Amino acid sequence: MSIPENLKYTKEHEWLNVEGDVATVGITAFAAESLGDIVFVQLPEVGATITSGEVFGEVESTKSVSELYAPVSGEVVEVNGTTSDTPEVINSDPYAEGWLLKVRLSGDVPELLDAAAYASLTQEN
């Protein structure tokens, strides 16, 4: 299972890539694999505000429904429409084509896990 070195991670298995004042958010390969075949994704609309630590959407798989927790606070500036049309892209390419949304940060990025710390977390689970 890949864990890209250039990303930050939450304990809730979301990843984050910050470029300037915009962060791209997705779920990790570990989460996608644990969920099984993803069949539906519910995400906020562009222009919505999300708050760090709060639920911003859901991912439904053949096994269960899981809530998505915002790793940062800010305004949603882009939603990956591919995930609504073909949610299985999250399973096949979680760190590139399967990204979920982009957020214009409204504050500082909280302290998140680096790849090594996230790898340790997934080995504990």
Side-chain angles (χ1 to χ4, degrees):
M1 175 180 41
S2 69
I3 302 176
E5 294 285 331
N6 63 320
L7 303 177
K8 295 294 184 183
Y9 301 90
T10 69
K11 292 179 180 177
E12 290 76 30
H13 307 290
E14 281 93 18
W15 59 262
L16 183 77
N17 184 29
V18 178
E19 295 179 28
D21 65 345
V22 175
T24 304
V25 178
I27 66 170
T28 66
F30 176 84
E33 186 175 303
S34 298
L35 286 166
D37 294 334
I38 295 172
V39 295
F40 179 76
V41 179
Q42 179 182 6
L43 298 172
E45 299 285 326
V46 171
T49 300
I50 63 173
T51 303
S52 178
E54 294 189 3
V55 174
F56 72 88
E58 289 182 345
V59 174
E60 183 177 337
S61 71
T62 53
K63 291 182 180 177
S64 66
V65 176
S66 297
E67 294 179 325
L68 299 166
Y69 293 90
V72 293
S73 297
E75 178 187 352
V76 177
V77 293
E78 188 174 349
V79 175
N80 185 356
T82 301
T83 60
S84 61
D85 297 335
T86 54
E88 61 271 17
V89 71
I90 298 169
N91 291 108
S92 63
D93 196 7
Y95 299 114
E97 294 298 316
W99 63 275
L100 298 176
L101 49 81
K102 295 186 180 194
V103 179
R104 185 171 315 283
L105 302 170
S106 62
D108 294 332
V109 175
E111 190 166 323
L112 299 172
L113 303 174
D114 62 16
Y118 184 71
S120 294
L121 176 74
T122 59
Q123 290 171 359
E124 294 170 4
N125 289 330

